[in-house]
Amino acid sequence: QVRLQESGPGLVKPSQTLSLTCTVSGASITTNYYYWSWIRQPPGKGLEWMGAITYSGSTRYSPSLKSHTSISRDTSKDQFTLQLSSVTPEDTAVYYCARAQFGLGYDYWGQGTQVTVSS
């Protein structure tokens, strides 16, 4: 069974860099045709796709977040990591990692992790 688990700090100060890791079990992040996304949901708002890293290691980012978002991976651990720099309170959200297959949408999600940006 495929499982995704987010980990990282629950509280980050403004202007700092948020770093979250998604650990995947039951699957390899290098398996063809899958991509691995970060998605967030601010309080009272809808889901926002932030970016993704594909099975081949290429990355895609939301245009609105591209300037301060980076996604990387560690294939030896089947982990991928989100870094969001210069955070503000508007980055407070539940952050999810998820798997999708090209053309078929998302099939597995992590449970989500709450991140609060506050001094």
Side-chain angles (χ1 to χ4, degrees):
Q1 182 178 357
V2 180
R3 291 189 61 198
L4 290 79
Q5 180 67 57
E6 305 90 350
S7 60
L11 180 64
V12 183
K13 295 185 185 303
S15 80
Q16 291 186 339
T17 295
L18 166 66
S19 183
L20 296 175
T21 296
C22 183
T23 301
V24 178
S25 58
S28 169
I29 62 173
T30 61
T31 300
N32 281 358
Y33 311 127
Y34 286 101
Y35 59 96
W36 306 84
S37 291
W38 285 99
I39 297 160
R40 68 182 181 179
Q41 186 169 28
K45 298 184 179 180
L47 294 170
E48 177 185 24
W49 180 80
M50 302 181 69
I53 188 163
T54 72
Y55 63 95
S56 63
S58 61
T59 53
R60 301 289 186 271
Y61 299 105
S62 167
S64 64
L65 297 171
K66 185 176 182 178
S67 63
H68 65 122
T69 303
S70 177
I71 298 175
S72 59
R73 66 178 186 171
D74 184 339
T75 57
S76 68
K77 297 180 180 178
D78 282 319
Q79 293 177 333
F80 61 106
T81 297
L82 169 74
Q83 290 197 309
L84 185 66
S85 63
S86 304
V87 297
T88 73
E90 285 65 42
D91 294 307
T92 294
V94 178
Y95 285 75
Y96 299 92
C97 56
R99 186 184 84 164
Q101 189 171 5
F102 284 101
L104 296 178
Y106 294 97
D107 57 0
Y108 288 99
W109 292 69
Q111 65 182 23
T113 187
Q114 172 70 47
V115 176
T116 300
V117 179
S118 175
S119 56

